[in-house]
Amino acid sequence: MTDVQRIRNFCIIAHIDHGKSTLADRLLDATQALSKRERRAQFLDKMDLERERGITIKAQTVRLRHRARDGEEYILNLIDTPGHVDFSYEVSRALQACEGALLVIDAVQGIEAQTLANAYLAIDAGLEIIPVINKIDLPTADPDKVAQEIEDVIGLDSADALQVSAKEGKGIEALLQAIIDKIPPPAGDLSAPSRGLIFDSWFDPYVGVVMLGRIFDGKLEVGDSIRMMETDIERDIQTLHVIDPHPRKVSSLAAGEVGMIVAGIKTLTEVRIGDTITHAKNGAAEPLPGFVAVKPMVFSGLYPVEAEDYEDLKTALQKLQLNDASLVYEPETSAALGFGFRCGFLGFLHSEIVQERLEREYDLNLISTAPTVRYRVISQDGESFEIESPAALPDASAIKRIEEPMILATIHVPPEYVGPVLGLCQERRGTQRDMAHHGSRVQVRYELPLSEVVFDFHDKIKSVTRGYGSFDYDLLDYRQAPLVKLDVLVNGDPIDALSLIVHKDAAFHRGTELVRKLKEFIPRQMFEVALQAAIGSKVIARTTVKALRKNVTAKCYGGDISRKRKLLEKQKAGKKRMKRVGNVEIPQEAFLAALKLGDS
């Protein structure tokens, strides 16, 4: 058992692409955690999806051993965290398991929106923060200017800021010594009743649910009977592991340590992230604070293409929720798509990643509906309720007003791109709150409707700023807006999966664009197919998919023209009858077209 005074728990937080995963690789190299054969770039990014997209999605844990200047060997528990705004919940959970954080800042780009957001998360969690200025090897690096930004923008003392190059391995030894010197050891009590915080979990097909926990008080041993304090379920510990950097079995985990706990749990609902583990007998009376319940921002329906895959989708969502506590879901049915689930996500990228993980890891074929946000509806009799799907919106006559969620967006850009950013925010119904200059960057803050941000706002910011802009947001409140439900009718039948809630001023434009886009994807039938966009009973846009025409007069050569007319009239009557009973097959691409509005 390691002396608590020689344990350090820390995480790496930063904006996207500021070098977190590369720095984690250098720390693994410097502590000789990996053999030469095992070394590879972004070692802690385990998922294929992370390696393909070049982003961290899941926080990963690894235990390092390092001999300090005083000759003592220290245990360093490192947690590498994501940088994208959609995965900030992963960061907040990782912070709860640590006493310190390395705040990594790019020596060229300086402080960005997520740098600021993550720094404030760490300050709120009471962590010791070590500023690390990375990429000093780049020719355009200006570490002195970035050090000044750290003081001006975040308010941290930059005298202790460490200058490193994660790519070339410069300054890594000094960084390891700073972790030992500045980050306090865990404050756990070995003699107190055991308490451990579950900050991550996943499903293993061989052993069931694996829990990743940080022990705060006492000690857990193999064979101990433990109780989950929130769900009040008791189980026996089968195995305990530490990750250094591959899972290694240990006989016990004591206060201050981080490790994996396997307790033969097969039922996915028994484990909650943020729950406290204690001994079943003589356990702790009070649970640990846990995590603030996360509120999903974006909602979308997920439906299996094959109806018989419904149960597989349900199981896959349960397993994924175990690994991603910010995902919420509930069953729903659609007249067009059958049985599926209404899922809540933290943002548009999060919804994309979840769908891709479901399709890859669980071999499912899915259709997703257009993402929406959560609206608040106040009825004529004063009753207030929230809706996540356009299908749940009551009749317009029963609604007094609709309120939409507003966010405060913080955008950091170089001065030359301020104009295009202001134009983009105005276009998205934004109201400017303030603007401030921080060194070579401008911080712009805008109040924006969340529905205008979830689709492609992040991509558009990157486009108009040539990739130099960064963006972060916080939920503000709900505000009244003139919103309407836009229905799509195919041959007079409303398709519930294509309904949208839009601003009244944008309804005509969105409706016209949607029916035009759908026309490209709905295959031609033997009869005319009318595509309409409507608000209530008022049609605001229409287009027609022309009928396929069989040449019925091909075999009719010579003779009187009336013979041809007779055949054409017969065909016309047949098409009318077919249109009355015809059922239009709508391909998956048509549903995806609803997401891609504005791309053209």
Side-chain angles (χ1 to χ4, degrees), residues 303-319:
Y303 294 85
V305 171
E306 302 294 334
E308 58 265 26
D309 290 345
Y310 175 78
E311 283 301 323
D312 293 343
L313 174 58
K314 186 179 179 180
T315 308
L317 282 167
Q318 283 181 334
K319 289 179 181 176

Side-chain angles (χ1 to χ4, degrees), residues 252-368:
S252 65
L253 287 175
E257 293 190 298
V258 174
M260 288 159 45
I261 302 154
V262 177
I265 299 169
K266 299 288 190 287
T267 312
L268 301 167
T269 50
E270 289 183 17
V271 175
R272 306 258 172 90
I273 285 177
D275 200 354
T276 301
I277 296 179
T278 188
H279 276 108
K281 289 178 182 171
N282 305 320
E286 287 291 314
L288 292 158
F291 307 109
V292 177
V294 66
K295 269 203 161 185
M297 300 276 199
V298 177
F299 296 86
S300 163
L302 286 181
Y303 294 85
V305 171
E306 302 294 334
E308 58 265 26
D309 290 345
Y310 175 78
E311 283 301 323
D312 293 343
L313 174 58
K314 186 179 179 180
T315 308
L317 282 167
Q318 283 181 334
K319 289 179 181 176
L320 204 58
Q321 191 181 44
L322 192 67
N323 191 226
D324 181 355
S326 52
L327 167 69
V328 299
Y329 65 91
E330 59 182 37
E332 77 164 1
T333 53
S334 155
L337 301 173
F339 292 99
F341 292 91
R342 188 94 197 146
C343 301
F345 311 97
L346 294 183
F348 196 47
L349 176 69
H350 186 210
S351 76
E352 262 185 59
I353 295 291
V354 166
Q355 188 176 350
E356 209 161 328
R357 284 187 71 184
L358 286 167
E359 289 182 344
R360 281 185 184 207
E361 295 172 26
Y362 302 98
D363 202 23
L364 292 164
N365 198 0
L366 302 173
I367 293 176
S368 78

Side-chain angles (χ1 to χ4, degrees), residues 159-181:
D160 302 333
L162 294 157
Q163 297 187 14
V164 304
S165 166
K167 189 178 176 184
E168 296 184 356
K170 288 180 187 168
I172 301 298
E173 277 300 322
L175 175 59
L176 284 163
Q177 192 59 45
I179 290 167
I180 290 164
D181 294 343

Side-chain angles (χ1 to χ4, degrees), residues 112-126:
E112 305 255 23
Q114 276 300 107
T115 316
L116 215 53
N118 288 334
Y120 291 148
L121 278 174
I123 291 165
D124 290 345

